[in-house]
């Protein structure tokens, strides 16, 4: 196949034998032997955070440092073929421009919006969580419904594209808020054209989120078949982040951190991984739309690891082409961006080239050769 690109748009896609005459000023790139893949969507990312084995500590680094981290992550995302980053939580800091304290990722989003070679971004603002769940100072804490609603309102006023709730509570067997409290947040957001998503590590929290009518669950590490069936009926998305467990398992070899190295820690990771794979499998069988996330930054993965999650989805029972769809078109559906994760004539030239066939081998996504939207403004045929 050949693709003609002009000013960042796809003019045509044709069999190479039917290209017809190509004007002499067109720059021809010989991409022989590679596969054209739509730019991917990392539907669960934290662009201001670096990830790695001390991922939570790094969230307390200075805001200027985290803004630098975001620029590095922007490079890594692009080089890995990721066009869209959906940021599901960042630390807040005072912005010198107006003296207002707001989520750092909103600043990154606004900066990247002006540069078509940077990742396209949607940002949730800061995490909204019950006290006693995540380290103090990282999240906006709200223990009661009215506080939660006020905190949600503030995030939207700050310019968040959607809201991120943390549906794990201080007690594992209880959700942090009632269904009514979460429903009020969903209604507020929907009334302003915004979505609500939630971190979901437990079944009890997942049930509250689904019942309350939020738009998606992140992780969904403990779903059952009833929860999955209701998600499918309502159109609730699941954003999978299974590669986390592969990353943590690797830390048994590459760190000396006791919680990864010691037998008990290894077994805990293995058990949670098995349950999480089962959950994604149940969701897939129920027909839930699954988008794909790395959780880079907010977890231990790095910004160029989305291929690892596609591999993990195949392990959970998706066919390779279904897992690729999760990382492309399903992510676009979650964002409400009909052009994200697709290639078509007249659409943006948001594609990249890999070696191998990702329709039957997800590891092909690691072998990126060229990314069409990265700096190179000259028109080209491929
Ligand atoms: Zn996360």
């Amino acid at each position: 196949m050949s693709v003609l690109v002009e000013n960042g748009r796809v003019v045509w896609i044709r069999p190479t034998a039917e290209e017809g005459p190509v004007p002499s000023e067109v720059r021809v790139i010989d991409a022989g032997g590679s596969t054209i893949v739509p730019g991917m969507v990392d539907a669960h990312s934290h662009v201001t955070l670096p990830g790695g084995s001390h991922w939570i500590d790094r969230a307390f680094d200075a805001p200027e440092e985290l803004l630098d981290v975001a620029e590095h992550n922007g490079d890594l995302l692009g080089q890995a073929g990721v066009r869209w980053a959906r940021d599901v939580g960042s630390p807040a800091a005072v912005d010198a421009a107006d003296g207002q304290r707001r989520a750092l990722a909103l600043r990154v989003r606004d900066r990247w919006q002006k540069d078509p070679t940077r990742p396209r971004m949607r940002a949730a603002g800061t995490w909204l969580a019950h006290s006693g769940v995540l380290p103090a100072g990282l999240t906006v804490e709200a223990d009661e419904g009215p506080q939660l609603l006020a905190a949600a309102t503030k995030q939207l006023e700050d310019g968040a594209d959607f809201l991120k709730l943390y549906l794990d509570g201080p007690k594992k067997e209880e959700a942090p808020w009632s269904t009514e409290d979460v429903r009020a947040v969903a209604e507020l957001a929907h009334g302003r054209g915004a979505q609500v998503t939630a971190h979901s590590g437990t079944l009890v929290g997942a049930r509250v989120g689904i019942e309350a009518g939020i738009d998606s669950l992140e992780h969904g590490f403990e779903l059952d078949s009833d929860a999955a069936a209701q998600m499918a009926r309502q159109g609730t998305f699941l954003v999978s982040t299974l590669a986390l467990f592969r990353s943590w398992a690797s830390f048994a070899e590459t760190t000396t951190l006791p919680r990864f190295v010691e037998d008990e820690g290894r077994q805990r990771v293995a058990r949670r991984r098995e349950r999480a794979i089962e959950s994604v499998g149940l969701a897939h069988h129920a027909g839930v739309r699954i988008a794909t996330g790395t959780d880079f930054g907010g977890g231990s993965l790095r910004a160029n690891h989305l291929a690892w999650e596609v591999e993990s989805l195949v392990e959970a029972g998706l066919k390779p082409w279904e897992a690729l769809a999760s990382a492309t078109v399903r992510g676009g559906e979650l964002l409400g961006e009909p052009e994200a994760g697709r290639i078509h004539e007249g659409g943006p030239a948001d594609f990249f080239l890999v070696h191998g066939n990702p329709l039957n081998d997800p590891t092909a996504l690691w072998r990126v050769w060229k990314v069409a939207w990265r700096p190179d403004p000259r028109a080209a045929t491929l």
Side-chain angles (χ1 to χ4, degrees):
M1 300 299 291
S2 293
V3 180
L4 179 68
V5 172
E6 189 172 21
N7 297 327
R9 311 294 293 184
V10 174
V11 180
W12 49 247
I13 304 172
R14 294 175 186 164
T16 303
E18 294 162 27
E19 266 178 19
V22 175
S24 60
E25 70 272 19
V26 169
R27 180 167 175 241
V28 178
I29 295 172
D30 180 356
S34 60
T35 304
I36 306 170
V37 185
M40 295 190 289
V41 178
D42 189 338
H44 188 122
S45 64
H46 301 272
V47 300
T48 61
L49 304 175
S53 63
H54 309 113
W55 71 92
I56 294 177
D57 299 344
R58 296 282 67 76
F60 293 93
D61 288 348
E64 302 70 42
E65 171 67 22
L66 296 180
L67 291 170
D68 276 354
V69 163
E71 294 308 319
H72 180 227
N73 284 338
D75 292 338
L76 293 175
L77 286 163
Q79 289 156 7
V82 178
R83 189 59 174 120
W84 283 87
R86 177 172 171 266
D87 188 284
V88 287
S90 64
V94 173
D95 188 340
D98 60 6
Q100 297 297 307
R101 183 179 164 83
R102 69 171 74 84
L104 282 173
L106 300 174
R107 265 195 256 175
V108 177
R109 177 201 61 192
D110 294 348
R111 189 192 289 174
W112 287 359
Q113 219 156 26
K114 300 181 194 114
D115 182 351
T117 70
R118 300 307 272 165
R120 304 186 200 275
M121 218 181 130
R122 287 285 165 72
T126 296
W127 306 264
L128 305 178
H130 195 288
S131 60
V133 182
L134 289 168
L138 186 59
T139 66
V140 176
E141 294 184 349
D143 290 358
E144 306 294 335
Q147 281 173 281
L148 180 64
L149 202 58
T153 305
K154 165 82 165 68
Q155 293 298 311
L156 293 171
E157 284 168 359
D158 284 351
D161 298 308
F162 62 105
L163 297 170
K164 170 73 177 298
L165 307 181
Y166 208 86
L167 271 176
D168 292 359
K171 294 184 196 156
K172 193 177 184 304
E173 62 283 3
E174 284 176 29
W177 306 289
S178 71
T179 301
E180 291 67 38
D181 291 342
V182 176
R183 187 177 291 127
V185 171
E187 285 171 358
L188 167 82
H190 293 161
R192 297 186 183 198
Q195 290 187 343
V196 181
T197 195
H199 168 104
S200 168
T202 65
L203 180 58
V204 67
R207 284 198 181 119
V208 164
I210 297 165
E211 223 16 73
I214 66 171
D215 303 278
S216 49
L217 289 182
E218 309 294 314
H219 316 294
F221 286 151
E222 282 187 6
L223 300 177
D224 65 7
S225 49
D226 286 349
Q230 193 176 349
M231 289 174 76
R233 266 199 316 277
Q234 296 178 178
T236 316
F237 280 86
L238 173 66
V239 181
S240 75
T241 62
L242 293 173
L244 269 184
F245 298 104
R246 293 183 178 212
S247 170
W248 294 348
S250 78
F251 292 161
E253 307 287 333
T254 59
T255 78
T256 54
L257 299 168
R259 68 182 191 283
F260 299 122
V261 170
E262 287 169 2
D263 283 348
E264 197 209 319
R266 290 178 188 234
Q267 284 159 14
R268 192 176 52 243
V269 169
R271 267 197 314 275
R272 290 187 66 196
R273 175 180 182 173
E274 208 170 298
R275 182 70 183 86
I277 290 173
E278 183 196 6
S279 291
V280 170
L282 287 171
H284 177 56
H285 283 294
V288 174
R289 285 186 290 179
I290 298 174
T292 310
T294 53
D295 202 7
F296 83 75
S300 56
L301 269 68
R302 306 291 190 175
N304 51 355
H305 288 180
L306 190 58
W308 217 1
E309 184 59 24
V310 179
E311 287 188 58
S312 300
L313 281 176
V314 173
E315 182 188 23
L318 277 71
K319 295 187 176 66
W321 63 267
E322 291 171 323
L324 180 63
S326 285
T328 51
V329 283
R330 296 288 166 265
E333 289 167 9
L334 172 64
L335 293 168
E337 283 291 338
E339 295 199 315
R342 294 174 191 271
I343 312 167
H344 63 94
E345 293 183 349
D350 287 349
F351 58 85
F352 66 111
L353 300 159
V354 303
H355 274 247
N357 181 2
L359 293 173
N360 56 39
D361 173 15
T363 68
L365 296 173
W366 292 110
R367 294 187 288 275
V368 178
W369 173 66
K370 193 169 182 64
V371 178
W373 66 87
R374 298 275 295 162
D376 184 356
R378 288 165 291 185
T381 58
L382 296 165

